[in-house]
Amino acid sequence: MTPSGTTSTTAAEPTNRTSGAQPAWEVLLPAAAAPARRRGRALQEALREAVRAGRLASGTRLPSSRALAQDLGVSRGLVTEAYEQLVAEGYLRSDRGSGTWVGGAVRTGRAATPPVPHAPSAPGSGTVADFRPGTPDLSLFPRAAWAAAQRTVLTELPHSALGYPDPRGLPALRSALAAMLSRRRGVVADPDRLVVCSGVAQAATLLGSVLRARGHRDVGVEDPGSPEHGRLFAATGLDTLWLPLDDEGLRPEPLTRSGTRAVVVTPSHQFPSGIAWSAERRGMLLEWARSVDGYVCEDDYDGDFRYDRAPVGALQGLDSERVVYTGSVSKSLAPGLRLGWMVVPESLVEEVVERKRTMDLGHPALDQAALAHLVTSGGYDRQLRRCQRAYRERRDALLAALDEHFPGTTVTGIAAGLHVIAYLPARYGPTRRFLGAAASAGVALRALEEYGTARPTDGAVRLVVGYAHLTPTTIAEGMRHVAEALAGR
């Protein structure tokens, strides 16, 4: 239940979007703010990164050294030296009497790459609360049940099972996972088409390698979305195309115009917006995939954590020949186990299995056998119920804290998952001021714009707030500290 005063919805609000990838010159301001002895080096690196990322496109004319120096508040000599260095390196070109331009030697993606938020790390000694999303409560890991499963499989597992495993995974685990995914998520899961892998990260890498070998050159990802998707597919040689969303899911027109034949999506609980794609958009995406002979990679990263209603079934259940379904135990057990799975269309099975074989000769057999025992014994379902109770309590604690300390906040994406999107009124902004106050109070937070290419224009503060790994007390204290720090600014 949502505390009074805090508005909650099940779909994220529409996000204002910028058009094109051309930046304003304020992207160079952090370089100008560096200590004097490092300003030149910092400015050069900022320009290099802007060219590499496509924010400064080939053929863009740069301001004169005098104008840019005045805009940034640095010496003209510093800018001149930076221009000369980057001309020598090939990032820029200079025509005598006609100015300085971005050169054409650097290969960039077809869309601007948004800032990449770092994965949550261990909080420092001065951290009051780390609200960055993506981490479950590792203290909930069922140590006793896992240890019992390991003892059981060590006793029962035949010697032959300790040899090189089937690259698809142990038959016992594939059968157990197929039955569980069919029962819990509505997945069409044939054990022969299920591949056990090192989490969704390896699943994406395997799929990307296969698609690249088949002639694909790019993959579409949600905007806003998980930066990890772009990095993983880029590692296989595929360009990333950022495709905009609205409050129903992926927008059809940009997808069609993109020319891509592969996309990676999170339709059951979109990351980070928290929306569940509408039935119309889910159907539209599958029709698109059929029309272009393409594939959809479904990242069901937290499909088991739904609190106030029945879970939304997996997209894969609607078309198992066009959707590659991926999931893992990273949120339900622990990411350190590196245990995940992918259910692959028949047309891709042999190629994916061969890539898996050449990549690592198969996943560790003992860990697979322990997970199979946990699933078939009912221990995994018990763990999910335990986590759901704890996370629902923490979600409610977060909503209450936001209501108390930041009245007028709208919260979306609360029905499922391990994070929410909080839209704070403009009086708490701008975002840089809010995040600065939080950091000074020892509280780590992430802004929504860190996960996409759009930038807010209305002054509101939009936050992606993780809560699963924090106790209710820590959640309340963290928000109180931010409010106090903000009031003192």
Side-chain angles (χ1 to χ4, degrees):
M1 187 173 71
T2 304
S4 60
T6 301
T7 305
S8 299
T9 62
T10 56
E13 295 177 347
T15 305
N16 291 320
R17 300 195 168 275
T18 56
S19 60
Q22 186 91 358
W25 293 111
E26 56 262 26
V27 298
L28 303 178
L29 288 176
R37 66 179 181 278
R38 297 206 309 265
R39 286 180 180 175
R41 190 163 58 249
L43 178 59
Q44 291 174 28
E45 185 54 37
L47 283 166
R48 286 190 195 95
E49 181 56 31
V51 174
R52 291 190 196 110
R55 295 194 299 273
L56 287 178
S58 175
T60 300
R61 182 174 182 173
L62 300 184
S64 69
S65 58
R66 184 188 303 276
L68 185 56
Q70 184 175 359
D71 286 346
L72 298 180
V74 299
S75 70
R76 183 183 180 187
L78 184 148
V79 176
T80 300
E81 182 179 350
Y83 279 3
E84 291 174 348
Q85 178 65 31
L86 296 182
V87 167
E89 294 175 5
Y91 289 88
L92 306 179
R93 60 181 175 83
S94 180
D95 298 328
R96 185 176 298 275
S98 61
T100 304
W101 306 74
V102 176
V106 179
R107 183 172 182 267
T108 62
R110 281 189 264 171
T113 301
V116 177
H118 299 289
S121 55
S125 58
T127 301
V128 174
D130 187 345
F131 287 100
R132 291 175 292 178
T135 303
D137 185 350
L138 301 179
S139 71
L140 294 178
F141 179 72
R143 291 175 181 265
W146 188 258
Q150 288 183 314
R151 288 193 298 270
T152 298
V153 301
L154 280 172
T155 301
E156 298 177 350
L157 207 63
H159 297 312
S160 60
L162 299 178
Y164 289 109
D166 185 331
R168 294 174 298 174
L170 290 184
L173 178 57
R174 288 188 283 114
S175 295
L177 290 175
M180 181 189 72
L181 294 173
S182 176
R183 169 173 54 87
R184 295 190 65 94
R185 303 295 299 126
V187 173
V188 178
D190 181 343
D192 290 336
R193 290 166 52 178
L194 192 151
V195 179
V196 178
C197 49
S198 298
V200 173
Q202 188 182 50
T205 303
L206 290 169
L207 177 61
S209 298
V210 169
L211 293 180
R212 186 73 174 84
R214 284 184 163 218
H216 288 247
R217 293 295 176 263
D218 46 48
V219 60
V221 298
E222 297 168 313
D223 182 9
S226 171
E228 193 67 20
H229 288 153
R231 286 200 295 267
L232 291 170
F233 283 97
T236 68
L238 295 176
D239 290 333
T240 297
L241 307 178
W242 293 88
L243 301 173
L245 298 160
D246 57 25
D247 57 3
E248 290 190 63
L250 211 61
R251 289 168 49 193
E253 297 83 3
L255 172 61
T256 302
R257 290 197 303 266
S258 72
T260 191
R261 294 192 297 120
V263 295
V264 53
V265 295
T266 54
S268 296
H269 185 239
Q270 200 276 329
F271 183 88
S273 71
I275 66 170
W277 282 35
S278 70
E280 181 181 356
R281 291 295 172 82
R282 289 158 70 94
M284 174 278 299
L285 183 65
L286 295 177
E287 286 297 329
W288 164 84
R290 296 164 191 146
S291 69
V292 300
D293 190 24
Y295 292 98
V296 176
C297 178
E298 178 179 12
D299 181 0
D300 197 22
Y301 69 101
D302 64 358
D304 282 310
F305 296 112
R306 197 103 185 155
Y307 307 120
D308 304 316
R309 66 181 72 172
V312 177
L315 179 71
Q316 189 265 5
L318 299 175
D319 192 336
S320 62
E321 292 305 318
R322 289 297 168 189
V323 181
V324 179
Y325 177 87
T326 66
S328 76
V329 301
S330 293
K331 303 297 187 292
S332 54
L333 293 175
L337 292 178
R338 307 313 305 137
L339 275 166
W341 47 82
M342 58 192 305
V343 183
V344 186
E346 182 66 34
S347 59
L348 298 178
V349 171
E350 290 187 8
E351 294 161 85
V352 169
V353 172
E354 179 59 18
R355 291 281 176 176
K356 172 67 176 173
R357 186 189 68 79
T358 57
M359 183 176 288
D360 58 17
L361 295 180
H363 207 74
L366 290 176
D367 290 342
Q368 291 189 70
L371 179 59
H373 183 273
L374 198 67
V375 172
T376 56
S377 68
Y380 190 73
D381 281 345
R382 287 192 293 274
Q383 170 68 6
L384 290 175
R385 290 193 295 270
R386 180 189 181 200
C387 291
Q388 285 175 336
R389 288 192 298 269
Y391 296 159
R392 183 187 294 112
E393 178 187 15
R394 295 168 192 196
R395 178 204 63 177
D396 292 344
L398 175 60
L399 298 179
L402 289 169
D403 180 50
E404 177 181 357
H405 298 294
F406 303 102
T409 296
T410 298
V411 184
T412 67
I414 67 170
L418 310 182
H419 72 275
V420 301
I421 305 297
Y423 298 84
L424 281 68
R427 64 179 179 272
Y428 297 114
T431 300
R432 180 178 297 182
R433 171 175 172 263
F434 188 93
L435 294 180
S440 70
V443 176
L445 285 163
R446 291 289 187 207
L448 177 60
E449 53 260 37
E450 295 186 56
Y451 294 87
T453 61
R455 297 294 176 264
T457 59
D458 57 2
V461 180
R462 296 173 172 86
L463 304 174
V464 182
V465 188
Y467 57 81
H469 56 295
L470 302 173
T471 66
T473 299
T474 300
I475 290 170
E477 289 181 353
M479 288 300 165
R480 176 175 61 83
H481 280 280
V482 176
E484 292 174 351
L486 197 63
R489 291 205 162 200

